[in-house]
Amino acid sequence: MTVLLSDVVSGSAVGLRGRLWQLSAAELREAAVSASAEILRLEAVRVAVVDELSMRPDDQVIASRGLGSWLAANTMLQVRDGKKIAALGAALRPFPAVAARFDCGDCSFDHAVLIVAFCESPPKGMPEEALPRCIDLLLAAASGVEATTTKVRHVIATLERVFESDEIPPAEDVDRNELRIASTLNGRVVVRGDFDALTGEMLLSALSNLTMPTPAPDGTPDARSAAKRTADGFTELIRRYLDCAKTGTDGGQRPHVNVHINARDLAEHRDCAAAPSDGGESRSDLDVGHMPWLGPLSVSQTRLLGCDCFLSTVLLDDHGAPLDARPGKRLVNAEQRVALIARDRGCAFPGCSCVPAWTDAHHIRHWANGGPTVMNNLVLLCRSHHRLMHRKSGFVGKWEIRMGVDNKPWFIPPPSIDPGQQPRPANTTFKT
């Protein structure tokens, strides 16, 4: 059965996927553009029809607790979307120029909402006679295939600055700033914030270089999503601040995250989940770390933090009461870190190109098990590969590190990666 381009846009999509192969790439492009234009046309039709119905509601609409609810009950829309459609129709009535551009399909639904919102609540310092000119500017930014929400918002922000008043514009009102940090039931943390434009600019500027896609040394593209890169960059931003900021007498020394753990648990991880319990073990006896803010932390993660930290020792009695406290000591000092950077040039894991500033000093034999803090027992690893080295026994994919006769770290892959487990040299080839 032959597929006509006109049928693709005006016909049903049922069975269409199996017939589109008959169209050329140029025809497919034309069909996509035509379908998009048809969606804009039908969207404008729906807004106009719903608005007219709102002015002449019948019994069915009145019985549905509002037009938005009626529309949702008779379509696949959500109630909130039905209310937005009805609200836009009413908002367009006083602004015929905006309505005309929307009706002809040259302005999207979302852009029309932004423009009428500006028209309904213009800047306090804007005279009434300036509104038509402002509408023209906004419609110019919202029209055509080059239109973007960013452009429309930029014009709105510019107009708000042009017609400044004694009132602080929302984008500059620091009193509205909010940041909420809450722990979830699974031990993770949710962050939600609302900041003024200047604070947002500072945050985005600080994250800019930290969130860029970083290809692998062989040119393989960064597989992380934008959200994952932002999260990784935010983590690194906090870490650098804690390492470098003058936050007090201990400024510049890690960890600024305080973790408490029993020395015996840190030295040897007991498998509590598999061990039978006689009921006499208290919660304080469990082999986990403890953070003052968010509570339990696994021993694997605690040992990871302990590789390069500021260690304080507190001697407790059988009841957990402090008997003595010894001064803290830095496990990896500044001189050793400089030497590690000179040797490893960043993360030493094979194939990793992470820069030195993003690395931890990892103890090959953990210091809690008697491993000394000396060069032949240390290696620089990025946080991702540092976590890999601290995975609990029993996990598939356990890597080992050994110092070679060249006094450099060599990495031994697990059998699942290399059955022969041939040692691989530290990755310094692609670093300068």
Side-chain angles (χ1 to χ4, degrees):
M1 180 177 179
T2 304
V3 177
L4 298 177
L5 187 60
S6 57
D7 295 337
V8 173
V9 178
S10 60
S12 171
V14 176
L16 181 62
R17 293 176 182 271
R19 296 182 284 122
L20 287 176
W21 63 269
Q22 301 177 50
L23 298 180
S24 65
E27 289 174 322
L28 290 173
R29 292 199 309 271
E30 184 179 348
V33 172
S34 299
S36 298
E38 185 69 5
I39 290 171
L40 289 176
R41 185 188 70 82
L42 291 174
E43 207 163 34
V45 169
R46 182 170 60 183
V47 170
V49 171
V50 170
D51 185 46
E52 183 66 24
L53 184 59
S54 70
M55 294 185 287
R56 296 188 289 121
D58 60 4
D59 290 345
Q60 288 193 34
V61 174
I62 295 173
S64 298
R65 298 181 60 188
L67 197 59
S69 298
W70 171 83
L71 192 59
N74 289 275
T75 65
M76 298 180 69
L77 293 172
Q78 299 296 313
V79 174
R80 63 177 181 273
D81 296 324
K83 290 182 177 179
K84 287 180 180 179
I85 292 169
L88 178 58
L92 286 172
R93 294 177 208 159
F95 309 106
V98 183
R101 194 68 65 88
F102 176 67
D103 291 344
C104 72
D106 200 27
C107 178
S108 71
F109 184 97
D110 292 335
H111 292 168
V113 169
L114 288 173
I115 294 173
V116 295
F118 174 86
C119 296
E120 289 177 333
S121 300
K124 299 293 183 182
M126 188 182 81
E128 291 185 12
E129 57 270 20
L131 183 58
R133 175 57 178 159
C134 292
I135 291 177
D136 291 342
L137 291 172
L138 290 167
L139 288 175
S143 300
V145 294
E146 299 86 5
T148 64
T149 302
T150 300
K151 289 175 63 176
V152 177
R153 290 187 181 277
H154 178 73
V155 173
I156 292 174
T158 302
L159 292 174
E160 288 176 344
R161 300 305 179 275
V162 169
F163 299 106
E164 285 189 3
S165 65
D166 293 336
E167 294 187 7
I168 301 174
E172 299 176 10
D173 190 356
V174 295
D175 290 337
R176 299 189 183 192
N177 289 2
E178 293 181 339
L179 181 64
R180 293 184 173 89
I181 304 175
S183 58
T184 63
L185 293 177
N186 63 358
R188 296 183 63 81
V189 175
V190 174
V191 180
R192 293 187 178 92
D194 181 10
F195 296 101
D196 64 282
L198 180 58
T199 302
E201 181 71 16
M202 290 189 292
L203 178 60
L204 293 174
S205 297
L207 288 173
S208 176
N209 187 55
L210 302 179
T211 57
M212 290 182 179
T214 306
D218 61 358
T220 304
D222 195 332
R224 297 175 299 168
S225 65
K228 182 63 170 67
R229 294 200 312 270
T230 302
D232 291 345
F234 189 66
T235 301
E236 183 61 24
L237 183 66
I238 297 172
R239 179 183 169 197
R240 292 188 184 187
Y241 167 76
L242 293 177
D243 281 349
C244 303
K246 296 181 179 179
T247 55
T249 56
D250 291 332
Q253 293 180 325
R254 288 179 287 177
H256 303 277
V257 175
N258 293 310
V259 180
H260 305 156
I261 188 169
N262 292 330
R264 62 176 181 178
D265 296 332
L266 189 59
E268 183 178 357
H269 180 209
R270 295 170 296 153
D271 193 355
C272 285
S277 174
D278 58 5
E281 196 174 45
S282 69
R283 191 176 68 176
S284 61
D285 292 328
L286 297 178
D287 59 342
V288 295
H290 180 82
M291 297 180 292
W293 284 97
L294 294 174
L297 187 69
S298 69
V299 169
S300 296
Q301 184 74 358
T302 305
R303 290 168 69 95
L304 183 153
L305 293 173
C307 266
D308 189 4
C309 73
F310 191 76
L311 176 67
S312 297
T313 304
V314 179
L315 187 63
L316 306 177
D317 62 17
D318 293 339
H319 304 287
L323 293 176
D324 185 26
R326 300 177 189 174
K329 63 178 180 179
R330 177 77 178 195
L331 290 182
V332 178
N333 58 40
E335 292 78 10
Q336 287 174 315
R337 188 167 183 85
V338 170
L340 286 170
I341 292 173
R343 186 192 70 189
D344 297 341
R345 304 182 189 178
C347 179
F349 193 88
C352 185
S353 58
C354 189
V355 297
W358 288 31
T359 60
D360 296 327
H362 167 69
H363 284 70
I364 298 174
R365 179 186 178 193
H366 200 271
W367 58 267
N369 293 334
T373 306
V374 296
M375 289 295 296
N376 278 353
N377 194 46
L378 296 171
V379 61
L380 289 183
L381 295 175
C382 67
R383 185 53 57 94
S384 177
H385 290 124
H386 199 177
R387 288 196 187 98
L388 181 67
M389 295 302 163
H390 282 273
R391 296 177 75 171
K392 298 177 182 178
S393 59
F395 277 75
V396 175
K398 186 174 179 61
W399 287 71
E400 296 182 19
I401 306 176
R402 296 177 186 170
M403 296 304 295
V405 294
D406 56 357
N407 290 320
K408 293 182 179 179
W410 287 71
F411 293 77
I412 302 174
S416 58
I417 295 178
D418 179 5
Q421 292 191 283
Q422 293 296 317
R424 304 182 183 185
N427 181 45
T428 59
T429 306
F430 300 98
K431 299 169 186 173
T432 58

